[in-house]
Every structure is written in C-alpha cells, then in structure tokens.
Amino acid sequence: IYAWLTNPNNVPQLEEIISLDLSNLSIKLLPPCVFQKMKNLLTLNLTNTPLTEISAQISALTKLRGLELANTAIKELPQSL
C-alpha cells in the first residue's frame, strides 16, 4: 500500500476505487495527489493511524460521503471540507 500511496501515478485503477480502508496502518502522510486520482471515492477510513493532518486537496473527493478519523492525531480539518 505504501508504494502506491507514495507514487499513485503508477496505479491507474485509483479512479475506480469507491471505498478505501487504511485503518490500523502506519501511514503518516497521504500525498495530495492521491486525492486527485480517486475521483469516485465514497468512503475513506483512516481510523487508528498516526496521521496528524489531511491535505486541503481532500476537497477533490467530491463524491466522498464518509470519512472516519477516530483515534488519529488530526486536530483540524481543512476548511475546504
């Protein structure tokens, strides 16, 4: 998973993903370009990850209906949400 998160251009199928569960992984950063590629994402689960912030580029996920952030270090969401 880390490989495609750090270089999402190598995974053209990202546009087809509608639900993504990254809970309980040691992800410290989600590159902004990931959000631009996942145009059909409906749900994103980041529960129990060490994330401290989410890029404002998450607003590119215009179809997103569910965002799980329980037990993360995220204290503030981007204003674009």
Side-chain angles (χ1 to χ4, degrees):
I1 290 180
Y2 181 76
W4 69 261
L5 283 176
T6 56
N7 194 0
N9 293 325
N10 289 338
V11 186
Q13 298 85 0
L14 286 179
E15 293 179 6
E16 299 174 17
I17 295 174
I18 59 171
S19 183
L20 183 61
D21 186 347
L22 300 174
S23 62
N24 302 304
L25 296 178
S26 298
I27 298 170
K28 295 180 182 172
L29 173 70
L30 284 175
C33 58
V34 169
F35 299 127
Q36 295 170 348
K37 291 279 189 178
M38 302 178 118
K39 298 177 188 217
N40 292 307
L41 195 67
L42 298 174
T43 61
L44 177 59
N45 186 347
L46 300 170
T47 302
N48 295 319
T49 61
L51 286 171
T52 58
E53 64 181 322
I54 291 185
S55 167
Q57 293 297 320
I58 195 169
S59 64
L61 301 176
T62 57
K63 296 183 180 181
L64 189 67
R65 298 296 174 253
L67 177 61
E68 297 289 332
L69 300 171
N71 297 317
T72 66
I74 297 171
K75 294 182 175 34
E76 196 174 327
L77 293 175
Q79 290 183 354
S80 59
L81 282 180

